Amino acid sequence: MHRTRVRVVEDALDANNTIARANRADFDRSDVTVVNFMSAPGAGKTTLLESVVRRLDGAVRVGVLEGDVEGSMDADRLASLHVPVTQINTAAGFGGECHLDANMVRSALPSVDLAAIDLLVIENVGNLVCPAEFRVGEDVRVMVCSVTEGEDKPLKYPLMFRTCDLVLINKIDLLPHLDFDVDRLLHNLDAVHPGVPRMLVSAKTGEGVGEWRDWLVERAARAGAPA
Amino acid sequence: MHRTRVRVVEDALDANNTIARANRADFDRSDVTVVNFMSAPGAGKTTLLESVVRRLDGAVRVGVLEGDVEGSMDADRLASLHVPVTQINTAAGFGGECHLDANMVRSALPSVDLAAIDLLVIENVGNLVCPAEFRVGEDVRVMVCSVTEGEDKPLKYPLMFRTCDLVLINKIDLLPHLDFDVDRLLHNLDAVHPGVPRMLVSAKTGEGVGEWRDWLVERAARAGAPA
């Protein structure tokens, strides 16, 4: 029974990876850099995205794929910044998927004008478990963890922290009001993903957002550069 | 294809419900009230549980089933309060499940002395999607949402908010430092689950925890009372 279940899960992940590679080929053909953007619910992904999009200032042309179980509130917020946004709702047909998979992203691609953008940010469903298991064709994974969530999260959700390329530690404006030890978080982060790039940011005050902006611009430039 | 997938999901939920009923029969036989305790990662479930356990003061005998992808940090914290705690890790054998299901709880029951407790709190994996889809045999569902997560969460994760019996709105000590409108959260909550009981609490200051304690004691008393 247990072995069968493992096999079913492995087959599903294999099928997903095949579609993810097809997505990736499409992105590469258009020189579009793709970020899989993940966090727990309420860690501040959308606000950070609004904040960084305002600072891009034409340096790269950005588009957004917005994943939510239901609703389009985040997509509406981003669209108001004149960024092309495509909504993916995972609730259709059953209880609601807790993550984006490669096929959901593939289904949305006809609505995305890849020729018109350099950078595609795929905002995943708020969840620290399953989004980490499903590649969607991204170049890089950026995750947000908020200092309000406690220092233990890397140890409790190791796959998410282990498979990301950049960790944005958000809401640092709240540090004076929390019993939160940044060094302990960094220690736990290094325990599961030694040396992973990390930035301390605040979407509210803007602290650190410029550094993240530069990181995104640099990643997008790599895709456009001759190999 | 889509229809097949819906069928597979429905069959899995049916199988889960059958096992959940078996769990429930065991709990009823022992007059144990069971709380399925859910939230996003870092909303403060464990700290709230520590806080309320300290206030129970022998009024009810409590036990905890602790669900995590990996690790036993929360279980260790609760065990230090001399509460019987059983750890369930969902990571065994594959990438890690994002929720507890009825079978995981059933597998853990041989380690739980139901005759020695009146109240069993099942602390679910931190996630606002899938835990809401899987009954585990609970009498009631209590969910925690933190004011740091934003007012939009009921609209984005409606099943979770719609299927719970009590909402604990936590970390209200941080309200002076946030752009958070409690009335807007309550408005969104009533939009998906009109009139659901809710309490404003702070695990840090203890505000509202006594009210939650009384609610738990009252629920546990009902199970012990003659029908």
Side-chain angles (χ1 to χ4, degrees):
Chain A
M1 168 67 193
H2 183 64
R3 215 174 252 190
T4 311
R5 191 167 186 191
V6 172
R7 178 74 55 82
V8 169
V9 171
E10 284 175 352
D11 285 352
L13 290 177
D14 277 352
N16 181 75
N17 284 338
T18 302
I19 303 172
R21 279 191 294 272
N23 292 345
R24 184 63 186 277
D26 287 355
F27 299 141
D28 284 347
R29 211 173 295 121
S30 303
D31 286 337
V32 172
T33 298
V34 178
V35 174
N36 190 351
F37 195 38
M38 304 184 283
S39 78
K45 285 190 301 303
T46 310
T47 310
L48 270 175
L49 205 46
E50 289 175 314
S51 186
V52 85
V53 161
R54 285 199 191 92
R55 283 172 173 79
L56 283 175
D57 224 3
V60 297
R61 300 167 302 162
V62 64
V64 176
L65 261 184
E66 185 58 49
D68 282 302
V69 177
E70 284 191 31
S72 64
M73 285 168 294
D74 292 348
D76 298 343
R77 285 167 59 183
L78 290 159
S80 73
L81 299 176
H82 308 291
V83 165
V85 181
T86 302
Q87 177 74 52
I88 306 178
N89 280 131
T90 68
F94 35 106
E97 288 283 357
C98 63
H99 59 276
L100 293 178
D101 66 23
N103 196 44
M104 295 181 211
V105 168
R106 188 140 199 87
S107 307
L109 285 188
S111 311
V112 181
D113 184 0
L114 292 176
I117 58 175
D118 310 301
L119 175 69
L120 178 65
V121 178
I122 302 178
E123 188 175 341
N124 219 309
V125 178
N127 180 355
L128 290 183
V129 188
C130 302
E133 295 173 13
F134 290 83
R135 295 265 160 200
V136 295
E138 69 269 34
D139 294 277
V140 286
R141 296 180 153 198
V142 177
M143 74 155 295
V144 183
C145 77
S146 160
V147 293
T148 58
E149 296 166 10
E151 304 97 340
D152 57 350
K153 293 303 162 291
L155 305 179
K156 295 184 74 175
Y157 303 93
L159 188 68
M160 173 64 75
F161 286 84
R162 194 175 289 138
T163 61
C164 69
D165 302 286
L166 174 66
V167 179
L168 300 175
I169 300 162
N170 192 24
K171 306 195 191 181
I172 57 169
D173 55 285
L174 290 175
L175 282 174
H177 315 294
L178 301 171
D179 301 321
F180 184 89
D181 182 341
V182 174
D183 286 339
R184 203 162 132 210
L185 172 73
L186 298 180
H187 176 83
N188 290 339
L189 182 56
D190 281 324
V192 301
H193 194 163
V196 60
R198 76 280 318 255
M199 295 175 187
L200 296 170
V201 302
S202 165
K204 188 170 178 179
T205 67
E207 193 175 342
V209 177
E211 191 186 355
W212 183 39
R213 180 248 186 222
D214 294 344
W215 188 92
L216 284 172
V217 170
E218 195 271 328
R219 295 299 308 208
R222 278 193 220 175
Chain B
M1 168 64 194
H2 183 63
R3 214 174 252 192
T4 310
R5 191 167 186 192
V6 173
R7 177 74 56 82
V8 168
V9 172
E10 285 175 351
D11 285 352
L13 290 177
D14 277 352
N16 182 74
N17 284 338
T18 302
I19 302 172
R21 279 191 294 273
N23 292 346
R24 184 63 186 275
D26 286 354
F27 299 141
D28 284 348
R29 209 172 298 122
S30 302
D31 287 337
V32 172
T33 299
V34 178
V35 174
N36 190 350
F37 195 38
M38 303 184 283
S39 79
K45 285 191 301 304
T46 309
T47 309
L48 271 176
L49 204 45
E50 289 175 314
S51 188
V52 85
V53 160
R54 284 200 192 92
R55 282 171 173 80
L56 284 175
D57 224 4
V60 297
R61 299 166 304 162
V62 64
V64 176
L65 260 184
E66 185 57 49
D68 282 301
V69 177
E70 284 192 30
S72 64
M73 283 168 295
D74 294 347
D76 297 343
R77 284 167 59 182
L78 291 160
S80 74
L81 300 175
H82 307 292
V83 165
V85 182
T86 303
Q87 177 74 53
I88 305 178
N89 280 131
T90 70
F94 35 107
E97 289 283 357
C98 62
H99 60 277
L100 293 179
D101 66 22
N103 196 44
M104 294 180 214
V105 168
R106 187 137 200 89
S107 307
L109 286 188
S111 310
V112 180
D113 183 0
L114 291 176
I117 58 175
D118 310 301
L119 175 69
L120 179 65
V121 178
I122 301 178
E123 188 176 341
N124 219 309
V125 179
N127 179 356
L128 290 182
V129 189
C130 302
E133 296 173 13
F134 291 83
R135 296 264 160 201
V136 295
E138 68 269 35
D139 294 275
V140 285
R141 294 179 155 200
V142 178
M143 74 155 296
V144 183
C145 77
S146 160
V147 294
T148 57
E149 294 165 11
E151 304 97 342
D152 58 350
K153 293 303 160 292
L155 306 178
K156 295 184 73 175
Y157 303 92
L159 187 68
M160 174 61 76
F161 286 84
R162 194 175 289 138
T163 61
C164 68
D165 302 285
L166 174 66
V167 179
L168 301 175
I169 300 162
N170 193 25
K171 305 194 191 180
I172 57 168
D173 56 286
L174 290 175
L175 282 173
H177 315 294
L178 301 172
D179 302 321
F180 184 88
D181 182 342
V182 173
D183 288 338
R184 202 161 135 214
L185 172 73
L186 298 180
H187 176 83
N188 290 339
L189 182 57
D190 282 324
V192 301
H193 194 165
V196 60
R198 76 279 320 253
M199 296 175 186
L200 296 170
V201 301
S202 165
K204 189 171 177 180
T205 67
E207 194 174 343
V209 178
E211 192 187 353
W212 183 40
R213 180 249 185 220
D214 294 344
W215 187 92
L216 283 173
V217 171
E218 195 271 326
R219 296 297 311 206
R222 279 194 220 175

